[in-house]
Amino acid sequence: MIMKKTGKAGQRSIASFFKPSSPNISDTPEFNSSAGRRGVELSQAKGPCSSQQLTHSHFEYDIVDYKRRNEVENQIKFNYLTGHWRPDRYFEFPSKEYRYSQKVVRLKFQRSWLDAFKWLAYSPSQDRAYCVFCRLFAADAVSGQQLGQFITEPMQNWKKGREYCRNHARKEYHAMALLRADGFERTHKSGTVVERMSSSSERKAIANREAIKSIIDAVIFCGRENIPLRGHRDNGALGNDQSRNDGHFCALLRYAISSGNKYLSEHFATAPANALYRCGAIQNEIIEICGNFIRKKIIERVAAAKYFSILADETSDVVQCEQLSLSVRYIDVDKNMDGCVRVDFLGFMEPKKLTGRALADLFIQTLTSWKMVLSNMRGQGAANMSGRFNGVQAVVLEQFPSATYTHCNSHILNLVLSHACGNATIRRTIKSMRQVINFFANSPKRGEILKEAISGICPNTRRTKLVTFCATRWVERHDAVLVFWEKYSAVVHALGEIENADDNASTKESAVECQQRIRTMEFLTCLKMLATVLGTTHALSVALQAVNMDLIKCAELVSNVVDTFKEILANAEEKFSTIFENVLSVVRDHDIPMMWRGLRSATTSEDEVKRHALENTFRPFVQNVIEELEGRFGNTFRRAAQCFAILPTRINAGMYYEKRVMIR
């Protein structure tokens, strides 16, 4: 390799090879800011210079620029602590004139002070000195010592500089600032205790979180799909024994493990028996947390809608514990300002007392604990609590007058029919019909006999069995009565076959008793009356449970049904004659005697039975239905319907509804 010779101008002196290198602020590994070294590099490149030759932008992290306040980022504070501006050996400190007696002396900041007092920091932009530790970490006052020189005020008297430095080093707040600075620097470099612990156990923490997340997902999945979590044996190890019936929850966890969920597999393999987080108590806790979260979201939507109504319903669970369910009805408006009516379930209440006052207090306390603004409640309603809830709604109405009480219209119709059927003859008919239906429903063998009888006598029918007589839902009673009347001949034939063919004496006796109950003129006449009345209310019962039913339609349908019954009552003789003729045809086909309870059988004629049934059963029955409809769908219902009639979509029909609703 040939080296190119340089002239004397390019030669370096021997002394230059031994010239000590200037200190570099970058020796501090945590301070990597190139801007923070700019002033030093400029002074080294240009030789000796003073602060007057450099602009303020050259002094990055000048200690005078630090603002003492609470909201300072740790990184900025660390940069000032370890990387504040330091003068290099070529920096020329400016001098000041000091007068001693008759002489004038020029003094300047001494570089040796920086070596003697490690906490001392020089500000080149102001030619002042500060304590870097106290300026960054000193409290406002310690033991009555107020902060002053070196902190809030600079030290600028170079004549007594060393003396002032020694005095400051003895201050209590300075000693505390040193400790804080040391702790801060250690923490910033190595992290806090929590961070250090997290770094060593971070993988374990992540694994635990993922395992718990998988367990929560399994509970949520079962809840969404409405399937039970528990099995016959859902405790013990979660092994691969497929013969164990340990429930859907454990089966889901086992499936997740077999699908490659390493976090869940490691959790159940290494976790102690008391920390598996899959017992019934943990499942219930997860369900409760999910329920609270869902309820919170619902209440937030209700708060956005502002006004709402509360719906209550009472029932008993499998352990005969009284439960009061609460739902909220409100208008949910989306981003496009399209609103829809929502009814969301909020939760259950377990009343200790069933008095109106106790239920009302529990009702208000529960809704208040759920952060609902009860002053915005504009309605309260109940489904199956007509009597008991009346006391509750009255107490609630005292405190919140705007919460108008509205009963479930479908249940009101159930109550109408239930009370209208209070006639003794009608009650006996319903009781006899229920007994026959249960007789066939409780035995597959008897049910098969009835099915064959229906297929033979009514070959074109779709129904091959009787409809269960529901105790509460009258829409199902409608079907039960109508089907029983249609299949009456098949029922009588099936009872006769059971009486003649069955070897069981008790079954034969029950079949005979059922025949005696339904093979009477009284039963058939009341059954046909029930079929006629319920046939009129069946369409109303179905319509009231439709999702698109509003109060205006409901008022119109109720008015139509009332008008129909009034027309039937006005033409009772003609209507009952048709009913009686249908009954007589069945009586003659089955050779049923012309008998009625309360009438002498020896002198009973068709006209006498007809007149007795018309005046003592049919007229009172229809009259009771009309009175119950008008009484239960009363003034409050009609006033509410009038209010709905002023809606824009109903405004054209307002006079029509006013006439229809106000006539009563």
Side-chain angles (χ1 to χ4, degrees), residues 156-172:
Q156 55 185 341
N157 189 345
W158 308 141
K159 179 180 178 182
K160 297 182 179 180
R162 187 175 289 274
E163 179 183 351
Y164 287 158
C165 288
R166 285 196 293 264
N167 292 337
H168 177 78
R170 290 193 289 266
K171 298 291 186 180
E172 183 177 352

PDB file of all heavy atoms in Angstrom, residues 156-172:
ATOM      1  N   GLN A 156     -25.491  33.534  41.925  1.00  0.00           N
ATOM      2  CA  GLN A 156     -24.746  34.325  40.946  1.00  0.00           C
ATOM      3  C   GLN A 156     -23.658  35.187  41.576  1.00  0.00           C
ATOM      4  O   GLN A 156     -23.036  36.006  40.902  1.00  0.00           O
ATOM      5  CB  GLN A 156     -25.728  35.216  40.175  1.00  0.00           C
ATOM      6  CG  GLN A 156     -26.588  36.098  41.056  1.00  0.00           C
ATOM      7  CD  GLN A 156     -27.617  36.871  40.252  1.00  0.00           C
ATOM      8  OE1 GLN A 156     -27.468  37.013  39.049  1.00  0.00           O
ATOM      9  NE2 GLN A 156     -28.639  37.381  40.932  1.00  0.00           N
ATOM     10  N   ASN A 157     -23.428  35.017  42.860  1.00  0.00           N
ATOM     11  CA  ASN A 157     -22.356  35.758  43.545  1.00  0.00           C
ATOM     12  C   ASN A 157     -21.100  34.888  43.523  1.00  0.00           C
ATOM     13  O   ASN A 157     -20.895  34.025  44.371  1.00  0.00           O
ATOM     14  CB  ASN A 157     -22.780  36.069  44.976  1.00  0.00           C
ATOM     15  CG  ASN A 157     -21.811  37.017  45.662  1.00  0.00           C
ATOM     16  OD1 ASN A 157     -20.690  37.237  45.189  1.00  0.00           O
ATOM     17  ND2 ASN A 157     -22.219  37.591  46.778  1.00  0.00           N
ATOM     18  N   TRP A 158     -20.199  35.160  42.523  1.00  0.00           N
ATOM     19  CA  TRP A 158     -19.008  34.319  42.386  1.00  0.00           C
ATOM     20  C   TRP A 158     -17.994  34.601  43.486  1.00  0.00           C
ATOM     21  O   TRP A 158     -17.123  33.773  43.746  1.00  0.00           O
ATOM     22  CB  TRP A 158     -18.359  34.535  41.046  1.00  0.00           C
ATOM     23  CG  TRP A 158     -19.278  34.398  39.845  1.00  0.00           C
ATOM     24  CD1 TRP A 158     -19.261  35.164  38.742  1.00  0.00           C
ATOM     25  CD2 TRP A 158     -20.297  33.423  39.649  1.00  0.00           C
ATOM     26  NE1 TRP A 158     -20.209  34.761  37.842  1.00  0.00           N
ATOM     27  CE2 TRP A 158     -20.874  33.663  38.395  1.00  0.00           C
ATOM     28  CE3 TRP A 158     -20.809  32.373  40.414  1.00  0.00           C
ATOM     29  CZ2 TRP A 158     -21.911  32.908  37.887  1.00  0.00           C
ATOM     30  CZ3 TRP A 158     -21.836  31.624  39.890  1.00  0.00           C
ATOM     31  CH2 TRP A 158     -22.386  31.881  38.659  1.00  0.00           C
ATOM     32  N   LYS A 159     -18.134  35.738  44.149  1.00  0.00           N
ATOM     33  CA  LYS A 159     -17.192  36.073  45.222  1.00  0.00           C
ATOM     34  C   LYS A 159     -17.311  35.092  46.384  1.00  0.00           C
ATOM     35  O   LYS A 159     -16.309  34.680  46.973  1.00  0.00           O
ATOM     36  CB  LYS A 159     -17.456  37.498  45.691  1.00  0.00           C
ATOM     37  CG  LYS A 159     -16.550  37.952  46.812  1.00  0.00           C
ATOM     38  CD  LYS A 159     -16.884  39.378  47.224  1.00  0.00           C
ATOM     39  CE  LYS A 159     -15.996  39.818  48.382  1.00  0.00           C
ATOM     40  NZ  LYS A 159     -16.343  41.197  48.844  1.00  0.00           N
ATOM     41  N   LYS A 160     -18.587  34.675  46.719  1.00  0.00           N
ATOM     42  CA  LYS A 160     -18.802  33.751  47.837  1.00  0.00           C
ATOM     43  C   LYS A 160     -19.414  32.435  47.339  1.00  0.00           C
ATOM     44  O   LYS A 160     -20.183  31.792  48.043  1.00  0.00           O
ATOM     45  CB  LYS A 160     -19.745  34.383  48.858  1.00  0.00           C
ATOM     46  CG  LYS A 160     -19.196  35.645  49.497  1.00  0.00           C
ATOM     47  CD  LYS A 160     -20.157  36.186  50.544  1.00  0.00           C
ATOM     48  CE  LYS A 160     -19.586  37.438  51.209  1.00  0.00           C
ATOM     49  NZ  LYS A 160     -20.504  37.985  52.231  1.00  0.00           N
ATOM     50  N   GLY A 161     -19.065  32.051  46.140  1.00  0.00           N
ATOM     51  CA  GLY A 161     -19.675  30.880  45.547  1.00  0.00           C
ATOM     52  C   GLY A 161     -19.441  29.611  46.328  1.00  0.00           C
ATOM     53  O   GLY A 161     -20.374  28.847  46.601  1.00  0.00           O
ATOM     54  N   ARG A 162     -18.194  29.341  46.718  1.00  0.00           N
ATOM     55  CA  ARG A 162     -17.893  28.102  47.432  1.00  0.00           C
ATOM     56  C   ARG A 162     -18.599  28.067  48.780  1.00  0.00           C
ATOM     57  O   ARG A 162     -19.093  27.021  49.210  1.00  0.00           O
ATOM     58  CB  ARG A 162     -16.387  27.963  47.585  1.00  0.00           C
ATOM     59  CG  ARG A 162     -15.938  26.614  48.171  1.00  0.00           C
ATOM     60  CD  ARG A 162     -14.424  26.532  48.173  1.00  0.00           C
ATOM     61  NE  ARG A 162     -13.904  26.388  46.833  1.00  0.00           N
ATOM     62  CZ  ARG A 162     -13.756  25.224  46.203  1.00  0.00           C
ATOM     63  NH1 ARG A 162     -14.127  24.102  46.795  1.00  0.00           N
ATOM     64  NH2 ARG A 162     -13.268  25.195  44.993  1.00  0.00           N
ATOM     65  N   GLU A 163     -18.645  29.214  49.454  1.00  0.00           N
ATOM     66  CA  GLU A 163     -19.307  29.275  50.767  1.00  0.00           C
ATOM     67  C   GLU A 163     -20.796  28.975  50.637  1.00  0.00           C
ATOM     68  O   GLU A 163     -21.364  28.237  51.439  1.00  0.00           O
ATOM     69  CB  GLU A 163     -19.097  30.658  51.371  1.00  0.00           C
ATOM     70  CG  GLU A 163     -19.779  30.837  52.730  1.00  0.00           C
ATOM     71  CD  GLU A 163     -19.605  32.242  53.269  1.00  0.00           C
ATOM     72  OE1 GLU A 163     -18.829  33.014  52.680  1.00  0.00           O
ATOM     73  OE2 GLU A 163     -20.269  32.559  54.273  1.00  0.00           O
ATOM     74  N   TYR A 164     -21.425  29.560  49.595  1.00  0.00           N
ATOM     75  CA  TYR A 164     -22.843  29.314  49.388  1.00  0.00           C
ATOM     76  C   TYR A 164     -23.107  27.841  49.069  1.00  0.00           C
ATOM     77  O   TYR A 164     -24.114  27.266  49.491  1.00  0.00           O
ATOM     78  CB  TYR A 164     -23.362  30.189  48.254  1.00  0.00           C
ATOM     79  CG  TYR A 164     -23.484  31.659  48.618  1.00  0.00           C
ATOM     80  CD1 TYR A 164     -23.487  32.637  47.630  1.00  0.00           C
ATOM     81  CD2 TYR A 164     -23.595  32.067  49.948  1.00  0.00           C
ATOM     82  CE1 TYR A 164     -23.610  33.979  47.941  1.00  0.00           C
ATOM     83  CE2 TYR A 164     -23.701  33.410  50.274  1.00  0.00           C
ATOM     84  CZ  TYR A 164     -23.711  34.364  49.273  1.00  0.00           C
ATOM     85  OH  TYR A 164     -23.824  35.683  49.589  1.00  0.00           O
ATOM     86  N   CYS A 165     -22.201  27.234  48.316  1.00  0.00           N
ATOM     87  CA  CYS A 165     -22.377  25.815  47.975  1.00  0.00           C
ATOM     88  C   CYS A 165     -22.310  24.943  49.217  1.00  0.00           C
ATOM     89  O   CYS A 165     -23.093  23.994  49.378  1.00  0.00           O
ATOM     90  CB  CYS A 165     -21.328  25.385  46.960  1.00  0.00           C
ATOM     91  SG  CYS A 165     -21.587  26.062  45.300  1.00  0.00           S
ATOM     92  N   ARG A 166     -21.361  25.227  50.116  1.00  0.00           N
ATOM     93  CA  ARG A 166     -21.258  24.431  51.337  1.00  0.00           C
ATOM     94  C   ARG A 166     -22.496  24.602  52.211  1.00  0.00           C
ATOM     95  O   ARG A 166     -22.979  23.638  52.816  1.00  0.00           O
ATOM     96  CB  ARG A 166     -19.991  24.820  52.092  1.00  0.00           C
ATOM     97  CG  ARG A 166     -18.709  24.292  51.473  1.00  0.00           C
ATOM     98  CD  ARG A 166     -17.555  24.379  52.458  1.00  0.00           C
ATOM     99  NE  ARG A 166     -17.231  25.777  52.728  1.00  0.00           N
ATOM    100  CZ  ARG A 166     -16.279  26.460  52.117  1.00  0.00           C
ATOM    101  NH1 ARG A 166     -15.562  25.868  51.163  1.00  0.00           N
ATOM    102  NH2 ARG A 166     -16.026  27.716  52.420  1.00  0.00           N
ATOM    103  N   ASN A 167     -23.005  25.825  52.302  1.00  0.00           N
ATOM    104  CA  ASN A 167     -24.211  26.044  53.105  1.00  0.00           C
ATOM    105  C   ASN A 167     -25.418  25.296  52.530  1.00  0.00           C
ATOM    106  O   ASN A 167     -26.232  24.721  53.263  1.00  0.00           O
ATOM    107  CB  ASN A 167     -24.523  27.535  53.195  1.00  0.00           C
ATOM    108  CG  ASN A 167     -23.484  28.286  54.015  1.00  0.00           C
ATOM    109  OD1 ASN A 167     -22.786  27.690  54.850  1.00  0.00           O
ATOM    110  ND2 ASN A 167     -23.349  29.578  53.783  1.00  0.00           N
ATOM    111  N   HIS A 168     -25.539  25.306  51.207  1.00  0.00           N
ATOM    112  CA  HIS A 168     -26.671  24.625  50.584  1.00  0.00           C
ATOM    113  C   HIS A 168     -26.601  23.112  50.797  1.00  0.00           C
ATOM    114  O   HIS A 168     -27.628  22.447  50.988  1.00  0.00           O
ATOM    115  CB  HIS A 168     -26.704  24.937  49.086  1.00  0.00           C
ATOM    116  CG  HIS A 168     -27.810  24.209  48.360  1.00  0.00           C
ATOM    117  ND1 HIS A 168     -29.122  24.604  48.404  1.00  0.00           N
ATOM    118  CD2 HIS A 168     -27.764  23.095  47.571  1.00  0.00           C
ATOM    119  CE1 HIS A 168     -29.854  23.773  47.689  1.00  0.00           C
ATOM    120  NE2 HIS A 168     -29.050  22.856  47.157  1.00  0.00           N
ATOM    121  N   ALA A 169     -25.395  22.568  50.783  1.00  0.00           N
ATOM    122  CA  ALA A 169     -25.240  21.125  50.945  1.00  0.00           C
ATOM    123  C   ALA A 169     -25.684  20.656  52.316  1.00  0.00           C
ATOM    124  O   ALA A 169     -25.952  19.465  52.505  1.00  0.00           O
ATOM    125  CB  ALA A 169     -23.793  20.710  50.685  1.00  0.00           C
ATOM    126  N   ARG A 170     -25.770  21.579  53.303  1.00  0.00           N
ATOM    127  CA  ARG A 170     -26.183  21.201  54.650  1.00  0.00           C
ATOM    128  C   ARG A 170     -27.699  21.318  54.861  1.00  0.00           C
ATOM    129  O   ARG A 170     -28.179  20.988  55.931  1.00  0.00           O
ATOM    130  CB  ARG A 170     -25.456  22.075  55.670  1.00  0.00           C
ATOM    131  CG  ARG A 170     -23.966  21.786  55.775  1.00  0.00           C
ATOM    132  CD  ARG A 170     -23.355  22.450  56.999  1.00  0.00           C
ATOM    133  NE  ARG A 170     -23.293  23.908  56.833  1.00  0.00           N
ATOM    134  CZ  ARG A 170     -22.221  24.552  56.360  1.00  0.00           C
ATOM    135  NH1 ARG A 170     -21.140  23.858  56.007  1.00  0.00           N
ATOM    136  NH2 ARG A 170     -22.223  25.861  56.243  1.00  0.00           N
ATOM    137  N   LYS A 171     -28.442  21.764  53.862  1.00  0.00           N
ATOM    138  CA  LYS A 171     -29.883  21.924  54.002  1.00  0.00           C
ATOM    139  C   LYS A 171     -30.560  20.542  54.036  1.00  0.00           C
ATOM    140  O   LYS A 171     -30.154  19.610  53.349  1.00  0.00           O
ATOM    141  CB  LYS A 171     -30.457  22.725  52.835  1.00  0.00           C
ATOM    142  CG  LYS A 171     -29.920  24.156  52.721  1.00  0.00           C
ATOM    143  CD  LYS A 171     -30.418  25.011  53.867  1.00  0.00           C
ATOM    144  CE  LYS A 171     -29.992  26.464  53.672  1.00  0.00           C
ATOM    145  NZ  LYS A 171     -30.465  27.337  54.773  1.00  0.00           N
ATOM    146  N   GLU A 172     -31.630  20.464  54.849  1.00  0.00           N
ATOM    147  CA  GLU A 172     -32.360  19.202  54.974  1.00  0.00           C
ATOM    148  C   GLU A 172     -33.083  18.857  53.677  1.00  0.00           C
ATOM    149  O   GLU A 172     -33.112  17.694  53.260  1.00  0.00           O
ATOM    150  CB  GLU A 172     -33.368  19.293  56.121  1.00  0.00           C
ATOM    151  CG  GLU A 172     -34.122  17.998  56.381  1.00  0.00           C
ATOM    152  CD  GLU A 172     -35.050  18.098  57.576  1.00  0.00           C
ATOM    153  OE1 GLU A 172     -35.003  19.122  58.288  1.00  0.00           O
ATOM    154  OE2 GLU A 172     -35.838  17.148  57.792  1.00  0.00           O
TER     155      GLU A 172
END
